[in-house]
């Protein structure tokens, strides 16, 4: 059938094993079709109702009414109770029917949604392998006229509800406040018997725009930085103050250096007080680190992992003992892992359920030759040097070749391997960054190499960086399910978030990505405004596409606002390139001059009202100063 807009996945859903057709058709309202197609929907619905009948699924609601109840265990966890409330809320939104929530001590009914590990399952002889599901896995199963949503009490039941709503009923949560909740006149749940256990134990979308707790839970990410509360089942939590780069916190130079300079790294024959690392083979350093970590665990027992990791600079210790170990292990990770293993050994004796994390980062990235991380040690491998405009698995840059060798080595020896990956330009938060096509490929590459947790560092300290909502949504989808269809994820977001403006924005994304692929341009996380991935002709064409997007969104103020916020990225690239050309005395000869002068005013207006607080990492935006200097460079009178 032609004209199915805006949700093309409905065609796939309707065809699934010949089931659920009425359900899929009923979710579409007449305005989703061309005007003549409403009659076709009515005819098809009538024919299919007679052909399939109710035996093909559970009629959960019809005409704004439902005979079903949601059954909770009497001792349900906070997240399971929240799961019931979320299911009730979204079913009401979809059908108009409000399903009562009762406990498993209430009299049994024939039509029930059984949530969690409750008495009704045992009464009905329904068996669930709870251990196999862990904290986050779940099963969805239809048994007679009952629907079973059963998973781990921590987050599994909640994720099961979202799995039903998203995978089977078409709900999507694109960004905080932007969702797609279909409407159903008649809601049928097709026969179900599925089990889902996430392949990744730690899924972090480290993006300012994605820290909202409800958004994170609904997209099934357990981000340490998200505002996930007890009702969401909590999150993978680092000990307070022990997230990363902790050497200086564990052994502060201000406290120890004057009396014990030997605790700190020896560099070129001198012990360093400033920008130092630790002397990792020093027994007193090991003792202090161990005591500090044990105290931190005792003070924050709900956390799971504590980082014992190098400071965020070089200057590793060159003393005889540290370098003898580094030579033996053919890696500067040797001394660091020696320290980390000693701390982890003491932690395991007192807190066997806790983990110690360290970084394989820059000078410690290469895996050691013989040393092995203890079972309670997490190695977090960092990809900071890599090209991110091509997949890590296939990119021909030397940086990516070297990273592939290191991850292969760690995959063989690390009992628990996590990755710290990067998905923004830290020098220019608004600069177009062509990495949307590599997100799924890179996550799949990590999973193929025994990675169990992924931290995707995006723009974390300001809202509305370059296409932040799109990047966050895609990342969340692929972290939960690395096999999620990439084209589907992109299409559903663009249509759900940008509405009628989706097409030119998709053309823009293709323009940007096709250019780096065709010309094999490597883009890292410090790309500048004159990077070859942003030639002038591309910027001019991109400006036209975003102008078209604004025109198409003009009748919807909210969608127009989103388009304007997203357009800041190309505006920034245009005006900053023009500023650079002006400084070289080349702007008058560039076609960017007219575009930059025309877009200066709209860009400044959107930027001022956007809430964006930084244009680059670590530097707050002085809007007035930025505007004044930019105008001066472009020859614009204020």
């Amino acid at each position: 059938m032609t004209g199915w807009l805006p949700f093309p996945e409905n065609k796939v859903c309707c065809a699934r094993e010949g089931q659920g057709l009425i359900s899929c058709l009923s979710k579409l309202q007449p305005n989703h079709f061309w005007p003549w197609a409403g009659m076709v929907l009515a005819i098809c619905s009538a024919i299919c109702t007679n052909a399939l009948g109710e035996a093909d699924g559970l009629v959960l609601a019809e005409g704004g009414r439902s005979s079903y109840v949601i059954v909770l265990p009497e001792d349900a966890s906070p997240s399971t109770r929240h799961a019931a409330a979320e299911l009730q809320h979204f079913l009401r939104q979809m059908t108009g029917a409000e399903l009562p929530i009762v406990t498993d001590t209430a009299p049994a009914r024939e039509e029930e949604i059984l949530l969690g590990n409750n008495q009704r399952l045992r009464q009905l002889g329904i068996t669930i392998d709870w251990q196999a599901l862990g904290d986050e896995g779940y099963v969805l199963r239809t048994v007679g006229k009952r629907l079973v949503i059963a998973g781990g009490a921590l987050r599994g039941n909640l994720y099961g509800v979202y799995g039903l709503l998203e995978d089977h009923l078409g709900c999507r949560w694109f960004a905080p406040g932007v969702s797609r909740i279909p409407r159903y006149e008649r809601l049928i749940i097709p026969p179900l018997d599925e089990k889902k256990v996430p392949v990744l134990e730690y899924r972090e979308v480290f993006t300012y725009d994605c820290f909202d707790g409800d958004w994170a839970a609904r997209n099934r990410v357990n981000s340490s930085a998200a505002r996930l509360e007890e009702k969401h089942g909590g999150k993978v939590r680092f000990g307070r103050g022990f997230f990363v780069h902790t050497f200086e916190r564990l052994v502060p130079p201000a406290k120890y250096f004057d009396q014990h300079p030997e605790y700190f790294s020896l560099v070129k024959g001198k012990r360093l007080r400033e920008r130092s690392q630790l002397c990792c083979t020093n027994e007193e350093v090991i003792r202090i680190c161990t005591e500090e970590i044990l105290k931190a665990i005792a003070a924050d027992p709900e956390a799971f992992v504590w980082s014992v990791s190098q400071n965020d600079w070089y200057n590793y210790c060159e003393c005889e003992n540290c370098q003898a170990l580094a030579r033996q292990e053919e890696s500067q990770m040797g001394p660091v892992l020696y320290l980390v293993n000693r701390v982890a050994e003491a932690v395991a004796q007192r807190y066997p359920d806790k983990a110690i994390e360290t970084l394989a980062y820059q000078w410690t990235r290469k895996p050691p030759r013989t040393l092995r991380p203890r079972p309670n040690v997490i190695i977090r491998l960092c990809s900071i040097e890599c090209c991110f405009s091509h997949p890590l698995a296939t990119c021909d840059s030397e940086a990516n070749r070297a990273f592939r060798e290191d991850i292969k080595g760690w995959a063989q020896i690390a009992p628990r391997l996590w990755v710290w990956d990067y998905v923004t330009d830290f020098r220019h938060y608004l600069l177009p960054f062509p990495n949307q096509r590599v997100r799924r490929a890179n996550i799949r590459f990590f999973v193929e190499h025994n990675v169990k947790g992924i931290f995707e560092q995006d723009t974390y300290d300001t809202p509305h960086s370059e296409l932040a909502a799109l990047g966050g949504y895609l990342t969340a989808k692929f972290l939960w399910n690395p096999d999620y269809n990439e084209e589907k994820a992109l299409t559903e977001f663009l249509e759900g978030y940008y509405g009628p403006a989706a097409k030119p924005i998709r053309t823009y994304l293709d323009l940007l990505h096709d250019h780096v692929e065709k010309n094999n341009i490597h883009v890292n996380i410090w790309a500048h405004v004159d990077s070859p991935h942003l030639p002038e002709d591309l910027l001019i064409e991109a400006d036209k596409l975003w102008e078209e997007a604004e025109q198409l969104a003009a009748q919807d103020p909210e969608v127009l606002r989103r388009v304007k916020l997203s357009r800041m990225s190309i505006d920034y690239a245009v005006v900053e390139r023009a500023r650079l050309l002006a400084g070289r005395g080349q702007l008058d000869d560039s076609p960017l001059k007219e575009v930059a002068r025309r877009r200066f005013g709209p860009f400044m207006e959107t930027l001022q009202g956007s809430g964006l607080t930084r244009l680059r990492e670590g530097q707050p935006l002085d809007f007035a100063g930025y505007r004044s200097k930019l105008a001066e460079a472009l020859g614009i009178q204020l």
Side-chain angles (χ1 to χ4, degrees):
M1 184 181 296
T2 60
W4 286 50
L5 294 174
F7 310 137
E9 72 272 18
N10 288 319
K11 291 187 284 188
V12 177
C13 180
C14 290
R16 187 180 62 240
E17 299 178 2
Q19 297 173 344
L21 179 58
I22 302 168
S23 173
C24 293
L25 287 172
S26 66
K27 81 172 75 171
L28 295 171
Q29 303 300 307
N31 64 347
H32 295 156
F33 292 81
W34 299 117
W36 51 263
M39 180 174 64
V40 177
L41 172 62
I43 295 172
C44 288
S45 295
I47 293 173
C48 294
T49 299
N50 292 331
L52 295 177
E54 295 184 7
D56 289 276
L58 310 180
V59 182
L60 210 58
E62 185 170 14
R65 297 178 179 275
S66 176
S67 55
Y68 274 79
V69 297
I70 301 169
V71 183
L72 279 173
E74 177 70 20
D75 59 349
S77 66
S79 67
T80 301
R81 294 187 182 278
H82 183 59
E86 287 281 86
L87 182 60
Q88 182 188 59
H89 168 76
F90 285 111
L91 288 177
R92 181 175 60 245
Q93 205 172 335
M94 287 187 283
T95 69
E98 178 152 349
L99 279 62
I101 299 173
V102 302
T103 70
D104 55 5
T105 59
R109 299 169 58 162
E110 187 178 14
E111 295 172 313
E112 298 177 320
I113 300 176
L114 306 180
L115 185 58
N117 186 2
N118 61 55
Q119 295 182 43
R120 204 79 87 239
L121 297 178
R122 293 180 286 279
Q123 293 166 359
L124 295 168
I126 299 171
T127 58
I128 304 289
D129 187 347
W130 303 103
Q131 186 173 359
L133 297 178
D135 287 335
E136 298 187 328
Y138 61 85
V139 296
L140 299 177
R141 189 181 301 170
T142 49
V143 182
K145 288 192 174 184
R146 291 180 173 89
L147 170 63
V148 175
I149 307 173
L154 187 63
R155 287 184 284 272
N157 294 320
L158 185 61
Y159 287 173
V161 164
Y162 295 138
L164 174 72
L165 294 171
E166 179 183 343
D167 301 338
H168 298 283
L169 302 183
C171 295
R172 296 292 186 273
W173 297 277
F174 300 117
V178 185
S179 60
R180 186 189 82 197
I181 310 300
R183 287 285 300 170
Y184 293 84
E185 174 63 25
R186 189 168 192 257
L187 175 57
I188 295 180
I189 303 295
L192 294 175
D193 187 7
E194 71 176 36
K195 170 185 170 183
K196 294 285 181 70
V197 178
V199 66
L200 293 167
E201 64 179 349
Y202 171 48
R203 304 174 300 280
E204 178 92 54
V205 184
F206 198 56
T207 307
Y208 187 99
D209 304 69
C210 300
F211 290 158
D212 178 80
D214 287 336
W215 181 92
R218 290 165 183 167
N219 284 284
R220 291 174 279 182
V221 293
N222 53 21
S223 305
S224 64
R227 294 182 290 274
L228 290 162
E229 304 170 17
E230 186 181 34
K231 69 177 183 178
H232 301 118
K235 54 189 172 182
V236 174
R237 199 159 76 71
F238 285 74
R240 284 189 291 271
F242 289 91
F243 174 66
V244 72
H245 301 311
T246 59
F247 273 7
E248 196 156 284
R249 178 183 177 91
L250 288 164
V251 187
K255 180 177 180 179
Y256 290 104
F257 187 85
D258 288 344
Q259 297 299 317
H260 295 284
E262 71 274 14
Y263 291 177
F264 301 92
S265 53
L266 179 72
V267 179
K268 296 180 181 179
K270 180 181 178 182
R271 296 285 178 179
L272 296 185
R273 181 189 188 110
E274 304 295 332
R275 297 183 69 82
S276 181
Q277 304 290 347
L278 296 181
C279 181
C280 295
T281 57
N282 184 294
E283 287 297 318
E284 283 300 298
V285 168
I286 295 170
R287 178 187 64 78
I288 294 169
C289 287
T290 301
E291 290 177 356
E292 290 299 316
I293 288 294
L294 290 174
K295 284 194 297 184
I297 295 175
D300 190 14
E302 299 304 314
F304 164 65
V305 56
W306 283 259
S307 184
V308 178
S309 55
Q310 68 210 62
N311 299 320
D312 196 9
W313 47 75
Y314 277 76
N315 292 336
Y316 54 78
C317 186
E318 299 172 359
C319 78
E320 182 178 347
N321 288 341
C322 285
Q323 286 312 296
L325 189 52
R327 288 191 298 271
Q328 174 187 307
E329 296 301 325
E330 300 175 1
S331 170
Q332 293 298 334
M333 174 57 94
V336 173
L337 188 56
Y338 177 78
L339 163 66
V340 169
N341 274 345
R342 291 281 298 277
V343 174
E345 182 179 13
V347 169
Q349 293 173 5
R350 195 176 302 182
Y351 301 104
D353 60 332
K354 306 301 183 184
I356 298 300
E357 175 261 12
T358 198
L359 299 175
Y361 173 59
Q362 295 182 333
W363 50 275
T364 58
R365 206 184 73 183
K366 184 180 179 182
R369 187 172 63 86
T370 65
L371 271 178
R372 297 294 179 260
R374 287 183 53 83
N376 62 332
V377 169
I378 295 170
I379 299 295
R380 186 147 52 153
L381 176 64
C382 305
S383 60
I384 193 169
E385 298 89 354
C386 291
C387 161
F388 295 103
S389 54
H390 307 104
L392 292 168
T394 57
C395 178
D396 63 4
S397 72
E398 185 53 41
N400 287 28
R401 287 195 187 106
F403 183 80
R404 286 196 291 271
E405 289 304 308
D406 287 344
I407 197 172
K408 288 175 185 176
W410 282 113
Q412 294 173 8
I413 68 171
R416 210 163 188 168
L417 181 59
W418 290 1
V419 159
W420 184 310
D421 194 34
Y422 304 80
V423 285
T424 191
D425 182 341
F426 292 93
R427 180 177 285 167
H428 296 281
Y429 278 160
L430 282 175
L431 203 68
F433 196 62
N435 71 342
Q436 308 299 344
R437 286 184 184 170
V438 307
R439 292 185 186 233
R440 189 184 79 150
N442 287 350
I443 288 171
R444 288 164 64 96
F445 173 73
F446 296 143
V447 170
E448 289 165 3
H449 287 82
N450 200 36
V451 171
K452 301 302 181 186
I454 299 177
F455 173 90
E456 294 284 6
Q457 185 176 5
D458 207 317
T459 305
Y460 59 92
D461 51 2
T462 180
H464 303 307
S465 61
E466 186 253 359
L467 299 178
L470 170 61
Y473 182 77
L474 294 181
T475 299
K477 284 285 155 288
F478 305 145
L479 288 177
W480 173 258
N481 176 12
D483 295 323
Y484 196 87
N485 185 281
E486 188 173 35
E487 178 65 24
K488 178 180 178 180
L490 181 59
T491 300
E492 66 192 10
F493 179 88
L494 294 179
E495 292 177 347
Y497 193 78
Y498 296 114
K503 185 176 179 180
I505 296 173
R506 174 59 188 268
T507 303
Y508 160 74
L509 289 171
D510 288 341
L511 177 74
L512 189 64
H513 289 77
D514 289 348
H515 176 68
V516 295
E517 291 175 8
K518 178 182 177 181
N519 296 285
N520 197 33
I521 298 169
H522 302 301
V523 184
N524 63 31
I525 62 172
W526 300 284
H528 209 293
V529 294
D530 61 348
S531 169
H533 81 278
L534 296 172
E536 291 182 28
D537 59 341
L538 185 148
L539 294 177
I540 291 169
E541 181 62 26
D543 175 68
K544 294 176 182 176
L545 291 167
W546 282 101
E547 184 66 28
E548 180 184 353
E550 281 200 26
Q551 292 171 3
L552 291 170
Q555 300 307 311
D556 188 327
E558 176 55 29
V559 172
L560 180 60
R561 184 187 72 87
R562 294 176 208 153
V563 171
K564 287 184 175 182
L565 287 170
S566 300
R567 188 177 182 176
M568 285 198 301
S569 175
I570 204 67
D571 282 345
Y572 178 82
V574 166
V575 299
E576 287 295 343
R577 176 67 68 84
R579 186 215 293 255
L580 193 66
L581 292 173
R584 296 171 178 171
Q586 300 171 344
L587 183 58
D588 288 340
D589 298 325
S590 170
L592 276 184
K593 179 179 180 179
E594 184 277 328
V595 181
R597 291 175 67 88
R598 171 170 51 82
R599 290 304 304 167
F600 175 82
F603 173 51
M604 287 295 114
E605 182 180 358
T606 303
L607 179 63
Q608 186 174 27
S610 69
L612 186 143
T613 61
R614 286 171 171 78
L615 292 173
R616 57 188 56 86
E617 187 179 30
Q619 183 175 327
L621 171 63
D622 170 13
F623 176 79
Y626 177 69
R627 179 173 178 267
S628 175
K629 291 178 181 178
L630 186 58
E632 181 181 0
L634 299 181
I636 295 173
Q637 281 294 120
L638 295 179

